[in-house]
Amino acid sequence: MKLLIIEDSQRLLRTLGIGLRKMGYAVDLVADGADGLGYARFNEYDVIVLDLMLPTMDGLTVLQRLRALGRKTHILILSAKDQVADRIRGLQFGADDYMVKPFSFDELCARIQTLVRRRYGEKNPEVVVGAVVLNTAARTVSRAGRRVPLTAAEYSIFEHLALSRGRVFSKEQLIDAIHDGEACTGANVIEVLVCTLRKKIHAEGADSIIETRRGHGYCIA
C-alpha cells in the first residue's frame, strides 16, 4: 500500500518514514503544504497522513483543494491542534480520521489499516483467497493455518492483488503501488518477486492463485 505523509517536522517525518517502511508500506515524505498538494494531485495513494500547521499552505487548505478536485483518497489528519472544534472542523472539511499529537505509532498504524480496508470495501481484516488467508491488521499471510514468511515487498504485492481481486495490474502499476518515489525498481524485479511469492504461498500441485495475463500483467481472480 502507498502512503503520503505531509508533515513539517523533519524528525517526525523521518521517524514515520522508517517505521511505516519497515511495515511494508511505500511512503512518500513531504514537509511542505504546497508540495504535498502537488504529490497528492499527481500520484495515487491509499492513505494521506496530513499535518495542519504547514509552511506555504496549511493542511486544511490542502484538504479543501483535494476534495474540490474530486480526489477521494482517505485522509488522516495528524495534528497538535487538540480542541474538539479543531477535530470537528477537520472532519467537516473532508478528513476521514483525526489523531492528536503526541500519539501512539501502533494506533496510527491501526487507523491507517482501517482506512485501507475502507478504501477496498473490506470490513474484515482477514481476506480469504482459497486456502490462503491475508490478515491486513497483523500484515501476515497464512496457508492452511500455517504462517507463510514473506518479505515486506512480497507481502505488499500479495495484499495489493488480494484487495483488488479480478483487476489486472501491469508490472509498472505494481512498481508504482509498492515503491515510493525514492526507489528505483525495474519490471524484472516484479517478475522475481511474483515468482518467489508463488513458490511460498502455493501448495504443491494446487492451481496458482496469482494468474499471469500475458501482455497485461498479474491478478488474483
Side-chain angles (χ1 to χ4, degrees), residues 5 7 9 15 19 22-23 26 32 60-61 73 77 86 100 114 120 122 128-129 154 194-195 198 211 216:
I5 313 297
E7 164 63 54
S9 166
T15 300
K22 282 183 178 178
M23 294 192 66
D32 176 276
L60 282 180
T61 301
T73 308
I77 291 176
D86 295 318
V100 174
T114 297
Y120 291 95
E122 291 287 347
V128 180
V129 185
E154 290 165 354
V194 170
C195 181
R198 280 173 168 155
E211 299 180 7
H216 298 283

Side-chain angles (χ1 to χ4, degrees), residues 165-204:
R165 291 182 67 171
R167 181 179 171 187
V168 180
F169 291 91
S170 68
K171 296 171 187 175
E172 292 74 18
Q173 287 174 319
L174 287 176
I175 290 171
D176 185 61
I178 71 170
H179 288 286
D180 53 58
E182 298 178 2
C184 296
T185 305
N188 61 318
V189 173
I190 296 297
E191 292 179 8
V192 172
L193 286 171
V194 170
C195 181
T196 57
L197 182 57
R198 280 173 168 155
K199 290 178 181 178
K200 290 181 178 181
I201 66 173
H202 295 155
E204 187 174 350

Side-chain angles (χ1 to χ4, degrees), residues 126-135 140-150 158 195-210:
E126 289 193 346
V127 179
V128 180
V129 185
V132 178
V133 178
L134 166 75
N135 189 311
T140 59
V141 172
S142 59
R143 185 185 67 218
R146 292 189 177 184
R147 177 87 169 266
V148 179
L150 299 180
F158 188 73
C195 181
T196 57
L197 182 57
R198 280 173 168 155
K199 290 178 181 178
K200 290 181 178 181
I201 66 173
H202 295 155
E204 187 174 350
D207 292 335
S208 176
I209 293 173
I210 302 175

